[in-house]
Amino acid sequence: MGRKLDPLKKVPRGPGRKSRKQPGAEKELSKILSDGDAEVKRLSSRSRKRAAKRRQAEEQKVKSSKPEAKHNGNAQAVQKGKKKLSGFSDENAEWLKPVKRARKDKDDDEDEEEDEDFSDEEVDSGDEKPVKLVGDDDDESGNDEPAEELELSDSDDDLQDDFGASSEEEEDGGDLLPIEKAAEKQKKKSKRDKETEDEEDIKLNVDGDEHFTLPTAEEMEQQLSTHLDLTSIQERIKDIVAVLQDFAKRGGQHTRQEYITVLRQDLATYYSYGDYMIEMLSDLFPVSELVDFLESCEVQRPVTIRTNTLKTRRRDLAQALINRGVNLDPLGKWSKTGLVIYDSSVPIGATPEYLAGHYMLQGASSLLPVIALAPQENERVMDMCCAPGGKTSYMAQLMKNTGVVVANDMNAERLRSVVGNLHRLGVTNCIICNYDGRKLSEVLGGFDRVLLDAPCSGTGIISKDPSVKTNKNAQDIQRCAHIQKELILSAIDSLDAQSTSGGFLVYCTCSITVEENECVVDYALKKRNVKLVPTGLDFGKEGFVKFKERRFHQSLRLTRRFYPHTHNMDGFFIAKLRKFSNTIPSSKEVLQQCSRHVCCQ
């Protein structure tokens, strides 16, 4: 079945692709083509055209030397040659009948024109005879002179090549045996069929995904009662999110609320949340953003540290930690002291630099309230809920140990960590006290700036405390909101509106619920003579001015929200207020102000 190695036992149709590039190949091939003892096989239509073209070139030379008297005999021979070529009307007419072939696809037509096929009868018999193109010996006129060559092509450019070889045919494997050509052709056809099947499969998959059918309640209960398949639940979450983003893909007549209900159940099952938390988060975020938030809460936030500029510089600290095998980078352009730790070969909380007070382990979101407060030197500043002392030491650092910083916390046990951190960091301008923040204004007052990091539900730090997923309900949120409203009023009363450099309050929580953030700030705007001012932070999302049925003051756009899936830090809320009058509005004034408020109309 292999290829014949002896070139003398076949008639080459022309030089190959490489042979045409080599000089002298034409002479060698002409010797082979002139061998009369070589085995002759049936020529294809293109081969016959090329052979006629070569004969034409030779006969034109002979014609120029013959007298014009023989022109009529040659013309008759030409007419006879045309008849024989078209109808195979010579003595070989019995076996030179054209092979009947079945109709084939359009894709195979080009390949079939280049192939040379033999009938089974010809291969078995082995009696192959050359095809005569002109009647040299069989002229009825008896003319022994060679006839004029047939002009089988109107264009010489189509048939012009080296010794009748077609470059396109040779590049595709012109010297292959018929059975090898058939194999190549079958291989190409199989490849085209496979590509067509793949395209049809992709089309079917796309068509199948266009419409998603919502599972019934019985199917949902059966799935929950049996072994949970988290992979199928995850796929269904993706399908429902895609349907809610493009509601034309829905299957059946289900409403949007039915899709949302199933999505909430799947999210609660997949991420292990309580029903109240999922409902609250789904009201807070769009569908696609909700999934991103839940995914980000499953990943721990990067470890960040704050450089204590009272004892060192950030550049020197970074170099010292790098020498100890710590991989770190600056936290961001918005912080001049923060560093983010990727990995470390030594414990970050037990290095000599840490024990010497050169840095403090502190989250990136905890730096933002102090930056927004921007305490100045020689001011009186209070941190109403100070434990464990990260923000308090940062304020003392910015004040360069000048002025007075009052650190208060209601829990005496937590104040021990505050004392230890302040001593380690070298803070000397701080006073620590233990009071209930709701009554602190009755004891201390006249502060230039106050920082209130209010206790909250912790819905923004789920990655640190996963128990928030299930142990929080509406009563817990309302209880926290009530305490926060009392604390913010006490903090405002502790401020001095006549301060030349201050009178500012920064209210912040590590929660993302509206009840603990916008509702509390809006309540303070109604109860006290304060107004919201820009926080000075150039990133973060704006606060809500409307949420479900609630309507808030338009200035709440100045507040800032931070989310783990967008800012890669803990969920946080920051609002900055300025007190413009020390007088407390009476109940009548509050009612008049409330009547002018948008939410009460």
Side-chain angles (χ1 to χ4, degrees), residues 246-537:
D246 185 7
F247 210 55
K249 295 182 179 181
R250 63 171 178 169
Q253 300 299 323
H254 298 285
T255 62
R256 189 178 187 87
Q257 187 60 38
E258 293 176 351
Y259 279 96
I260 293 177
T261 302
V262 176
L263 177 62
R264 288 177 179 176
Q265 295 178 3
D266 288 342
L267 290 176
T269 304
Y270 188 78
Y271 294 102
S272 303
Y273 276 79
D275 294 337
Y276 171 76
M277 286 294 297
I278 285 293
E279 183 178 356
M280 183 270 295
L281 293 174
S282 61
D283 293 336
L284 195 61
F285 298 107
V287 176
S288 59
E289 194 173 355
L290 172 62
V291 178
D292 295 338
F293 174 81
L294 296 177
E295 284 289 343
S296 63
C297 289
E298 301 299 316
V299 182
Q300 294 292 329
R301 304 276 75 78
V303 178
T304 56
I305 61 175
R306 174 181 55 83
T307 307
N308 181 20
T309 55
L310 296 175
K311 291 189 174 183
T312 185
R313 296 185 303 174
R314 183 169 69 167
R315 180 184 303 175
D316 298 336
L317 175 63
Q319 187 61 48
L321 293 178
I322 290 174
N323 294 338
R324 296 190 183 278
V326 180
N327 185 11
L328 51 82
D329 269 333
L331 181 57
K333 295 181 179 180
W334 54 270
S335 175
K336 297 181 180 180
T337 59
L339 292 171
V340 57
I341 307 297
Y342 297 114
D343 57 76
S344 174
S345 58
V346 295
I348 296 299
T351 61
E353 288 77 15
Y354 176 81
L355 299 176
H358 291 183
Y359 64 89
M360 174 79 176
L361 284 169
Q362 192 170 359
S365 57
S366 298
L367 304 178
L368 299 175
V370 182
I371 295 175
L373 185 64
Q376 305 298 318
E377 297 182 19
N378 299 315
E379 287 186 342
R380 297 180 73 242
V381 182
M382 180 176 65
D383 188 357
M384 187 170 284
C385 303
C386 64
K391 300 181 183 66
T392 303
S393 59
Y394 193 14
M395 288 191 293
Q397 172 182 319
L398 294 178
M399 296 169 64
K400 299 180 181 179
N401 267 338
T402 62
V404 177
V405 178
V406 176
N408 177 74
D409 199 274
M410 184 178 179
N411 191 344
E413 295 295 329
R414 301 186 66 187
L415 286 176
R416 296 180 179 179
S417 61
V418 178
V419 174
N421 285 325
L422 294 182
H423 280 294
R424 182 176 58 86
L425 296 172
V427 175
T428 58
N429 65 339
C430 186
I431 300 174
I432 298 177
C433 57
N434 180 21
Y435 288 102
D436 187 352
R438 293 172 290 183
K439 301 178 181 180
L440 188 60
S441 60
E442 301 175 1
V443 181
L444 298 173
F447 291 98
D448 296 316
R449 300 173 193 264
V450 174
L451 175 63
L452 174 57
D453 186 4
C456 60
S457 60
T459 54
I461 53 173
I462 299 177
S463 59
K464 293 182 179 178
D465 185 12
S467 63
V468 178
K469 296 180 180 179
T470 55
N471 63 3
K472 298 298 179 182
N473 51 33
Q475 288 76 18
D476 297 329
I477 302 297
Q478 291 299 330
R479 189 182 301 109
C480 290
H482 180 72
I483 297 174
Q484 290 159 357
K485 289 177 181 178
E486 293 180 326
L487 287 172
I488 194 172
L489 293 182
S490 178
I492 294 173
D493 294 339
S494 300
L495 282 173
D496 183 13
Q498 304 301 325
S499 174
T500 57
S501 62
F504 293 102
L505 165 67
V506 169
Y507 172 81
C508 60
T509 64
C510 54
S511 175
I512 60 173
T513 60
V514 177
E515 291 81 2
E516 299 178 84
N517 297 322
E518 283 84 359
C519 288
V520 174
V521 175
D522 190 70
Y523 174 81
L525 293 177
K526 297 175 185 178
K527 292 291 185 178
R528 294 294 185 269
N529 292 321
V530 292
K531 63 179 180 180
L532 284 168
V533 294
T535 59
L537 303 173

Side-chain angles (χ1 to χ4, degrees), residues 237-254:
I237 289 173
K238 293 180 181 179
D239 293 336
I240 295 178
V241 170
V243 169
L244 292 176
Q245 290 178 342
D246 185 7
F247 210 55
K249 295 182 179 181
R250 63 171 178 169
Q253 300 299 323
H254 298 285

Side-chain angles (χ1 to χ4, degrees), residues 55-114:
R55 291 285 184 88
Q56 182 181 5
E58 295 175 358
E59 295 301 331
Q60 283 180 354
K61 296 180 182 180
V62 178
K63 177 182 175 182
S64 60
S65 61
K66 297 293 181 179
E68 297 181 357
K70 295 182 181 181
H71 177 70
N72 294 333
N74 293 338
Q76 294 177 0
V78 170
Q79 296 296 331
K80 181 180 178 182
K82 288 182 179 180
K83 182 177 179 182
K84 288 183 179 181
L85 184 62
S86 60
F88 301 100
S89 58
D90 55 2
E91 67 272 10
N92 300 321
E94 295 295 332
W95 66 276
L96 285 178
K97 293 181 181 180
V99 179
K100 294 182 179 181
R101 302 177 183 177
R103 185 181 299 274
K104 299 186 177 182
D105 297 337
K106 294 182 179 181
D107 296 339
D108 300 331
D109 291 346
E110 296 182 0
D111 295 337
E112 292 297 335
E113 290 179 359
E114 298 179 1

